[in-house]
Amino acid sequence: MFTPTLSTGAALGGFLGVAWSLAWPGSSVGAYAMVGAAAMMGASMQAPLTALALILELTHSGFQIVVPMMAATVTATAVARRIDGYSIYSARLSAT
């Protein structure tokens, strides 16, 4: 259930990373993909700490960019809660 969210966040983060590296060469596109994946997962699950733990556990790297991942994940979760308070799990409960 979280794989589409993870891949969508990584794709969006990677796209923004490519755009950013065109403006400022030398930035790592993979780091932006990891930050985007963590932010998208945290926002969709409404669980930012769980998303951070999952991304760090699945990639076994990224400990150098934990602070940007935390900032992006908390911001994305706050925006998602403000727009719609449902997570990908609780939204399915109300549909039945």
Side-chain angles (χ1 to χ4, degrees):
M1 188 175 222
F2 65 86
T3 303
T5 305
L6 183 69
S7 61
T8 303
L12 290 174
F15 176 73
L16 291 174
V18 167
W20 187 264
S21 69
L22 290 175
W24 285 276
S27 58
S28 172
V29 177
Y32 286 98
M34 284 180 57
V35 170
M40 185 76 124
M41 181 167 286
S44 67
M45 292 187 337
Q46 298 288 318
L49 293 177
T50 302
L52 286 171
L54 276 171
I55 295 298
L56 292 174
E57 183 66 28
L58 289 174
T59 61
H60 293 289
S61 63
F63 295 104
Q64 298 84 10
I65 58 170
V66 168
V67 174
M69 280 193 336
M70 288 188 334
T73 304
V74 168
T75 303
T77 304
V79 169
R81 283 188 184 166
R82 182 86 167 141
I83 292 173
D84 182 31
Y86 294 109
S87 71
I88 56 175
Y89 305 114
S90 63
R92 297 186 87 181
L93 293 174
S94 64
T96 56

